[in-house]
Amino acid sequence: MYRWMLEPAERDAVLANVAMRNGNKDFHVIVEIACVLSAEELLAVRRAYRCRYKRSLEEDVAANTTGHLRQLLVGLVSSFRYEGDEINARLAQSEANILHETVKEKKGNHEEAIRILTTRSKTQLVATFNRYRDEHNISISKKLLDQASDDFNKALHTAIRCINDHKKYYEKVLRNAMKRIGTDEDALSRIVVTRAEKDLRDIKDLYYKRNSVHLEDAIAKETSGDYKKFILTLLGKQD
């Protein structure tokens, strides 16, 4: 409940810091923040992080990562993407080919994939992902699942899913949070709390379409006590 009381930018700054201090290093949380928020929202998180921890978010991400993962995550949290609707179809084709080569070869040109993912507008990237799917009859995120064994490929997969359709991504995270033995309350709280005033209704609709169960009913079944009341209140349903 403490996190819910914070302003959105400060809340995301805390989530990012906790993710890096977690023994398992929840890098997907960093990717979610960097790829789902607008450019201005991400900038506000970076300001809140600097104010709260007396260090930059980029500095702490770099200190907790190495190699290609460091390049990807620092690039994502440092990004200030253009947010217009313009699409360059020729560029989408060219960069879909680059991503295909990167995914096809585990030792592919990761630097080029990182450059594309961290600098292009979301609209341009979606066009690139669509071009990839049209060319290869499979989405790039599904193709990456075959290789998502190390932290870099997992982060790359999460980034692509969040940029392509963050609502579908969140629905799957919620589904997985309640499928495991022992509900993942951190994931559940993170999504419900951060999306409550944004697009939680759309995520709830997607959850119902995918699972034929209302999200409120699924959460009520898997949680209890004050936590259950808190989450259901945010979802707009109280016992």
Side-chain angles (χ1 to χ4, degrees):
M1 293 183 69
Y2 158 70
R3 292 174 190 169
W4 179 239
M5 295 165 64
L6 297 172
E7 289 297 314
E10 192 170 1
R11 182 177 62 228
D12 285 334
V14 171
L15 285 170
N17 183 261
V18 170
M20 285 182 283
R21 287 192 289 107
N22 188 323
N24 295 322
K25 295 289 190 297
D26 295 328
F27 295 126
H28 60 278
V29 176
I30 307 294
V31 177
E32 287 174 18
I33 291 168
C35 294
V36 174
L37 299 183
S38 70
E40 291 292 345
E41 287 171 334
L42 179 56
L43 186 59
V45 172
R46 290 167 62 193
R47 287 194 179 112
Y49 194 99
R50 183 184 61 188
C51 181
R52 190 179 187 94
Y53 299 107
K54 313 306 178 191
R55 301 183 302 276
S56 71
L57 175 57
E58 306 93 291
E59 180 183 359
D60 278 358
V61 168
N64 284 280
T65 52
T66 58
H68 289 122
L69 179 64
R70 173 188 285 166
Q71 293 175 34
L72 176 63
L73 294 186
V74 171
L76 288 174
V77 300
S78 305
S79 181
F80 192 77
R81 300 181 193 273
Y82 175 64
E83 296 184 328
D85 295 328
E86 294 88 347
I87 292 172
N88 183 325
R90 185 175 295 177
L91 184 65
Q93 176 69 66
S94 168
E95 295 190 337
N97 292 338
I98 292 171
L99 291 176
H100 174 65
E101 291 303 314
T102 300
V103 172
K104 186 174 69 171
E105 301 291 336
K106 287 192 176 182
K107 294 182 180 178
N109 194 339
H110 295 316
E111 283 80 8
E112 277 294 274
I114 291 167
R115 175 188 63 79
I116 293 167
L117 266 291
T118 58
T119 62
R120 299 300 183 202
S121 73
K122 292 180 183 178
T123 304
Q124 181 66 38
L125 285 170
V126 170
T128 299
F129 302 153
N130 289 341
R131 194 71 210 140
Y132 183 101
R133 186 191 61 222
D134 293 343
E135 289 273 318
H136 305 290
N137 297 314
I138 186 173
S139 70
I140 187 171
S141 58
K142 286 184 179 176
K143 185 67 177 176
L144 267 171
L145 277 177
D146 298 335
Q147 300 180 11
S149 55
D150 58 57
D151 286 336
F152 171 72
N153 279 303
K154 287 177 182 175
L156 194 66
H157 178 258
T158 300
I160 289 170
R161 291 216 64 200
C162 286
I163 292 167
N164 200 36
D165 190 335
H166 72 269
K167 295 174 188 176
K168 277 189 177 181
Y169 166 80
Y170 281 137
E171 184 281 324
K172 187 169 184 180
V173 174
L174 287 170
R175 185 165 16 111
N176 289 340
M178 290 181 282
K179 272 173 58 177
R180 53 185 282 176
I181 298 173
T183 302
D184 184 350
E185 292 187 353
D186 283 344
L188 199 60
S189 302
R190 185 176 75 253
I191 295 169
V192 172
V193 167
T194 59
R195 309 315 296 179
E197 296 178 353
K198 294 186 175 181
D199 47 20
L200 186 57
R201 183 179 295 277
D202 295 336
I203 296 166
K204 285 164 61 176
D205 290 343
L206 282 171
Y207 187 92
Y208 181 76
K209 288 175 184 175
R210 179 66 175 76
N211 304 282
S212 300
V213 176
H214 290 292
L215 180 59
E216 296 93 330
D217 295 334
I219 289 176
K221 183 180 177 183
E222 298 293 334
T223 57
S224 60
D226 290 339
Y227 177 79
K228 174 181 176 180
K229 292 177 183 175
F230 171 64
I231 291 293
L232 291 181
T233 298
L234 290 181
L235 285 165
K237 177 180 178 180
Q238 291 179 282
D239 286 306

